[in-house]
Structure formats: C-alpha cells, structure tokens
C-alpha cells in the first residue's frame, strides 16, 4: 500500500529540507557576535543580568535569516536584494518590532531607549536577512536547493 500525501505536506517537507540545508551555513558564534555588536551598547546591563535575552535575539535573527533564504530564489532569477526585500518588508518589520518589544520589556528603566533599540533591531534583522538572501541565491546557482 502507498501512503497518500497531499501537495501541501510535500511542499512543507521540501521547505523544511531546504531550511535545514541553509541553517548549516551559519555559525552561532558569528550570530552571537553580531548581537553583541548591535545590542550590547544600548542595553549593556540587561544582557549581563539576563543572559537568556541572547537566546531570544538568536531566535529572531534565525527567523530573519530563514526569511532571507526563502526569498533567495528571486535573487537567482536576477531580482536585486532591495526589490526582494520589499516583498517581505512587513514580516521584517514584525520581527524587528517584536525583538525591540521583547528587549524593552526586560529593561529596568522607566524610559527605555526605544529609538536606538529599534534602529539596532532593524539593522540586526536586516543584516541577517541579507545574509540568508545571499546564501540562498548561491545555493540556487549551484543547484543545491
């Protein structure tokens, strides 16, 4: 007897396999270094007092990276990164605002530096989206998808 699978299940399985392949290209140490570079100057005490905040930042940057890999096929077909980024601008904004809200929630100060934190979140998320986009474009060019 054959197992009957639907098209959506097959697509989701194919997407998972692609995401697993793309996740092999990133380094957690490199990601932590980027988080420390962007976020520590703004909230130095919070990261020392609550080291688990780095894990939450890692989750968001991994999501941004995977979102970039999802749109990497447009780069393979010749679309510039900025045009492909416009396609997922809403998702990137959601990730950035969610990261900023999470970090602001753990701030002890009454008035947290939200403008600087939002700018740093945007830059961190955008940087990792671009890395994912480039890696996926390379994978498509090498036919590794």
């Amino acid at each position: 007897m054959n197992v009957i699978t639907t098209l959506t299940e097959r697509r989701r399985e194919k997407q998972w396999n692609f995401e697993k392949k793309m996740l092999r290209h990133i380094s957690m140490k490199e990601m932590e270094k980027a988080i420390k570079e962007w976020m520590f100057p703004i909230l130095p005490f919070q990261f020392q007092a609550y080291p688990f905040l780095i894990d939450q930042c890692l989750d968001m940057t991994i999501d941004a990276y995977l979102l970039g890999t999802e749109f990497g096929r447009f780069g393979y077909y010749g679309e510039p990164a900025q045009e492909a980024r416009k396609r997922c601008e809403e998702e990137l904004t959601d990730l950035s605002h969610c990261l900023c809200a999470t970090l602001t929630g753990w701030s002890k100060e009454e008035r947290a530096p939200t403008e600087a934190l939002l700018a740093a979140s945007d830059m961190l998320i955008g940087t990792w989206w671009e890395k994912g986009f480039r890696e996926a474009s390379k994978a498509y060019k090498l036919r590794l998808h």
Side-chain angles (χ1 to χ4, degrees):
M1 295 189 97
N2 292 335
V3 176
I4 299 174
T5 59
T6 62
L7 184 60
T8 55
E9 289 175 8
R10 177 75 176 124
R11 282 183 182 162
R12 186 64 194 144
E13 184 180 326
K14 193 172 181 182
Q15 184 180 5
W16 280 339
N17 289 335
F18 181 69
E19 287 177 357
K20 281 191 248 178
K21 288 177 189 175
M22 291 292 101
L23 285 174
R24 291 182 191 140
H25 295 276
I26 59 174
S27 164
M28 295 301 281
K29 291 189 187 290
E30 183 182 343
M31 216 175 248
E32 282 184 29
K33 181 181 170 190
I35 290 168
K36 289 177 183 176
E37 179 181 314
W38 288 104
M39 298 298 176
F40 268 42
I42 299 167
L43 298 171
F45 175 73
Q46 283 74 15
F47 282 100
Q48 290 174 353
Y50 311 110
F52 58 85
L53 289 177
I54 291 179
D55 294 338
Q56 292 175 346
C57 292
L58 282 172
D59 287 342
M60 297 296 177
T61 53
I62 289 172
D63 288 344
Y65 178 83
L66 289 176
L67 186 63
T69 61
E70 188 177 326
F71 285 85
R73 77 173 174 274
F74 296 118
Y76 169 69
Y77 291 119
E79 188 171 332
Q82 296 304 320
E83 299 234 351
R85 188 180 176 135
K86 289 178 186 175
R87 293 175 183 251
C88 64
E89 194 65 41
E90 186 176 330
E91 290 93 345
L92 285 173
T93 304
D94 287 345
L95 281 173
S96 178
H97 286 284
C98 185
L99 178 61
C100 183
T102 301
L103 295 177
T104 304
W106 284 97
S107 178
K108 295 264 187 199
E109 302 168 12
E110 286 181 20
R111 190 179 151 270
T114 54
E115 281 185 27
L117 189 58
L118 186 60
S121 311
D122 286 340
M123 294 302 292
L124 180 68
I125 297 294
T127 302
W128 282 96
W129 182 89
E130 288 176 18
K131 287 183 183 189
F133 182 83
R134 278 186 267 131
E135 285 295 325
S137 295
K138 263 196 287 187
Y140 275 101
K141 286 178 186 172
L142 295 172
R143 299 181 190 263
L144 298 175
H145 56 89

